[in-house]
Amino acid sequence: NAGVTQTPKFQVLKTGQSMTLQCAQDMNHEYMSWYRQDPGMGLRLIHYSVGAGITDQGEVPNGYNVSRSTTEDFPLRLLSAAPSQTSVYFCASRRKPGQLANYGYTFGSGTRLTVV
Amino acid sequence: AQTVTQSQPEMSVQEAETVTLSCTYDTSESDYYLFWYKQPPSRQMILVIRQEAYKQQNATENRFSVNFQKAAKSFSLKISDSQLGDAAMYFCAYRSARNTGTASKLTFGTGTRLQVTL
């Protein structure tokens, strides 16, 4: 199994540009999330989804959009990149409640984004 | 809202020795999960160990064990027989056992960077 796959691994954007960070998982996980990691702040939740067609905001959603058209994919869109969005982004997934071993999240390898 | 605090930004341990990383958390819930994640320079987030709050027995995974003190809201990680490969950033994380909305999210501490010396 590939687990959670994120692309690209690195990206440099100019202020105002838009882009989509891709996330795909092959474990049939219902729950998927996007986090950002900033120095000294741990990981913070941007958006999450509890299943195809269902998304909601996390702690720091401004400037980001998500959609969940399939169970496997959960892309994160930056609408108009700003230097404050320079960060490392992680996608994570887990099984839904009621399934065995639904407690833990599996993380992708992250995308390092720099906005100049 | 839940918070997770890691008060040790950096720790150092000699190879083959034992080190304990501290974590405290604040919550009004009684049912939850606690985790330790390891992040090596590769950036990958790797689950090291988990603890269910309803279990009194401390979790153990090979050289890794926890000291879970529910009343004190403390969750420390002990690494025995430290190896060079243990050098990484370690994050403590909390997740509610409720599965509604953002209750299912992970709340992270700010991390402890562990250095392993020869």
Side-chain angles (χ1 to χ4, degrees):
Chain A
N1 281 343
V4 179
T5 302
Q6 287 185 239
T7 56
K9 295 191 183 304
F10 301 92
Q11 183 71 48
V12 179
L13 286 180
K14 293 182 178 179
T15 298
Q17 285 184 317
S18 62
M19 79 159 294
T20 299
L21 306 185
Q22 301 292 344
C23 175
Q25 52 88 12
D26 62 357
M27 299 172 285
N28 202 31
H29 285 177
E30 292 285 339
Y31 282 34
M32 296 187 75
S33 307
W34 277 101
Y35 291 83
R36 60 177 288 174
Q37 182 181 18
D38 301 296
M41 300 188 73
L43 281 75
R44 293 178 294 167
L45 182 66
I46 305 171
H47 284 287
Y48 68 98
S49 170
V50 299
I54 307 169
T55 64
D56 208 341
Q57 297 180 349
E59 301 170 77
V60 288
N62 292 341
Y64 308 94
N65 273 355
V66 292
S67 60
R68 184 97 179 270
S69 56
T70 67
T71 298
E72 294 78 20
D73 299 299
F74 190 43
L76 178 72
R77 298 182 186 83
L78 280 71
L79 308 173
S80 177
S84 61
Q85 293 178 305
T86 293
S87 188
V88 178
Y89 291 84
F90 286 96
C91 180
S93 71
R94 73 174 176 98
R95 296 178 179 180
K96 69 180 180 181
Q99 291 182 311
L100 289 176
N102 70 81
Y103 40 76
Y105 278 90
T106 300
F107 282 80
S109 57
T111 296
R112 180 176 292 279
L113 176 68
T114 302
V115 183
V116 298
Chain B
Q2 293 80 19
T3 58
V4 177
T5 301
Q6 294 179 251
S7 58
Q8 305 156 315
E10 294 186 359
M11 293 283 285
S12 183
V13 62
Q14 283 191 318
E15 199 176 18
E17 296 297 309
T18 296
V19 65
T20 298
L21 308 185
S22 300
C23 173
T24 59
Y25 59 95
D26 188 27
T27 183
S28 59
E29 298 181 328
S30 59
D31 197 10
Y32 48 86
Y33 302 100
L34 295 165
F35 306 88
W36 279 98
Y37 280 90
K38 171 185 178 181
Q39 187 179 43
S42 68
R43 203 170 63 205
Q44 184 73 44
M45 294 290 286
I46 302 165
L47 179 63
V48 174
I49 199 166
R50 77 173 193 279
Q51 175 79 43
E52 290 92 332
Y54 65 86
K55 290 186 177 179
Q56 291 188 333
Q57 186 174 8
N58 289 325
T60 300
E61 289 287 342
N62 301 314
R63 297 183 295 108
F64 298 87
S65 61
V66 298
N67 183 4
F68 173 49
Q69 301 289 330
K70 191 172 184 179
K73 296 179 182 174
S74 171
F75 182 61
S76 61
L77 174 69
K78 185 172 81 171
I79 306 174
S80 303
D81 186 24
S82 296
Q83 301 174 357
L84 293 177
D86 295 333
M89 182 74 87
Y90 287 81
F91 290 96
C92 179
Y94 168 103
R95 182 173 82 76
S96 170
R98 291 185 295 120
N99 288 291
T100 54
T102 56
S104 66
K105 73 170 185 176
L106 286 169
T107 298
F108 287 87
T110 52
T112 296
R113 185 170 300 281
L114 179 65
Q115 184 180 23
V116 181
T117 59
L118 294 171

